Amino acid sequence: MAETAKANNLKPYDYFVYLLEEIPKHMDDTDRSFLNDLLPWSPNLPDGIRKN
């Protein structure tokens, strides 16, 4: 996962923190489509986890 994050110009630590904050918000969801927004190549990721 860390290498995939790096390959997509993300800061791995910040990306992992983001995942660990976001995934619990969806634990009761039956629709897993939110996972597409968490993929390292998603344009919907916050700018703060991207390398400058």
Side-chain angles (χ1 to χ4, degrees), residues 2-51:
E3 293 303 318
T4 304
K6 290 177 193 177
N8 284 278
N9 205 34
L10 301 178
K11 298 181 247 178
Y13 177 81
D14 295 337
Y15 177 57
F16 295 153
V17 169
Y18 178 71
L19 292 178
L20 292 172
E21 291 173 347
E22 288 300 311
I23 291 172
K25 295 177 185 177
H26 300 278
M27 293 305 291
D28 294 330
D29 293 356
T30 56
D31 178 18
R32 301 286 184 215
S33 63
F34 76 93
L35 292 171
N36 291 329
D37 292 335
L38 301 180
L39 294 172
W41 49 84
S42 173
N44 299 327
L45 293 174
D47 292 332
I49 65 171
R50 297 190 187 283
K51 293 180 184 176

